[in-house]
Amino acid sequence: MVKYLLNLFFPPVCSGCNSFLLTNEKVICTLCRHHIPLTNHHLIPENEAFKKFYGRIHLEYASAFLYFHKKGIVQELIHKLKYKGHEEIGTILGNWYAEDLKENMALKTADIIIPVPLHKKKFKERGYNQVTSFGLALSDELRIPYNDSLLFRTVYSKTQSKKNLLGRTEGIETVFDVSFYEKDHNKHYLLVDDVITTGATLEACSRALLKIPGARISIVCMAMAQS
């Protein structure tokens, strides 16, 4: 009854275009789902996300679900997820993308899903890590355990989106570290994040994880910036 009354006075709207959702729609309306820019990286082993890390780190696999364009649907979704507390966006994107990734042979050997972490101070300010709901959805659908304590951020920094290219890469290699045990050796780690831009953050996280003996790395993100 309470849910009915809330929907009556505050009807749910699409997180992409703010239009009212129909009864059978959740979070993202059918029109936005139709127009949302899919990368189809899961169909291309050596896709542009994978190639972005050529010569930087060795990866088992890399992909992003959507293309991120300024003032586009995906930017609106990520902004609401990251700054407005709409964690359900991460969940629905994770559930959606997991359907594409279930038959991916490279990920069938993944042992643990690791989110790109926030610094403790940033986590306290925001109240949540915007990657968590996406990572947990992938974990549930792909049946890969989720671990948000192995990789951690050592340095508090300002929001990456407000920095230029140089600012995003400067000193990033020392920002992350790992706390691991012998049981964490020889594992295939699936690193998840929101948006691939320069790739510097994901590279730094991967280098930290590679301190673990026998570690192998794959990367899956919600979106990838495209000019």
Side-chain angles (χ1 to χ4, degrees), residues 182-197:
E182 188 174 352
K183 65 180 178 64
D184 300 310
H185 294 188
N186 303 306
K187 293 287 195 288
H188 179 183
Y189 294 103
L190 174 55
L191 188 62
V192 297
D193 200 9
D194 49 10
V195 183
I196 303 176
T197 49

Side-chain angles (χ1 to χ4, degrees), residues 21-210:
L21 292 174
L22 301 177
T23 304
N24 62 334
E25 295 176 332
K26 292 184 179 179
V27 185
I28 305 171
C29 72
T30 303
L31 188 61
C32 281
R33 280 176 175 261
H34 179 73
H35 290 293
I36 206 164
L38 303 172
T39 66
N40 289 316
H41 283 171
H42 66 288
L43 301 175
I44 311 166
E46 294 196 14
N47 56 64
E48 59 197 307
F50 186 82
K51 290 178 180 179
K52 197 168 190 72
F53 298 95
Y54 275 1
R56 299 165 69 176
I57 49 171
H58 174 76
L59 296 176
E60 302 295 312
Y61 175 80
S63 72
F65 183 33
L66 310 170
Y67 282 120
F68 181 101
H69 300 121
K70 288 187 176 180
K71 299 182 180 180
I73 295 171
V74 178
Q75 184 184 42
E76 184 70 15
L77 293 173
I78 298 297
H79 180 82
K80 287 179 178 175
L81 168 62
K82 193 169 183 177
Y83 302 112
K84 302 296 183 181
H86 290 244
E87 294 184 84
E88 69 278 3
I89 293 171
T91 300
I92 201 162
L93 292 182
N95 289 337
W96 190 358
Y97 201 23
E99 291 302 313
D100 292 336
L101 298 175
K102 280 181 178 178
E103 300 307 315
N104 188 291
M105 296 306 298
L107 296 183
K108 287 188 179 294
T109 62
D111 297 296
I112 302 171
I113 291 177
I114 305 287
V116 170
L118 295 180
H119 188 270
K120 289 181 179 180
K121 182 179 178 182
K122 179 63 70 65
F123 185 89
K124 187 175 181 180
E125 291 173 353
R126 187 172 294 167
Y128 64 98
N129 183 341
Q130 73 274 8
V131 184
T132 298
S133 57
F134 178 71
L136 287 174
L138 290 178
S139 175
D140 289 342
E141 295 294 330
L142 301 179
R143 298 187 179 182
I144 303 171
Y146 182 86
N147 186 322
D148 62 358
S149 60
L150 190 147
L151 178 68
F152 59 93
R153 195 174 190 118
T154 60
V155 178
Y156 174 83
S157 59
K158 294 181 180 180
T159 303
Q160 289 285 83
S161 61
K162 296 180 181 179
K163 297 180 180 181
N164 58 25
L165 178 60
L166 180 61
R168 291 186 185 192
T169 57
E170 190 174 10
I172 192 72
E173 68 276 1
T174 61
V175 168
F176 301 95
D177 207 347
V178 286
S179 176
F180 63 91
Y181 301 93
E182 188 174 352
K183 65 180 178 64
D184 300 310
H185 294 188
N186 303 306
K187 293 287 195 288
H188 179 183
Y189 294 103
L190 174 55
L191 188 62
V192 297
D193 200 9
D194 49 10
V195 183
I196 303 176
T197 49
T198 66
T201 296
L202 288 161
E203 180 183 354
C205 287
S206 297
R207 291 189 184 282
L209 288 169
L210 288 171

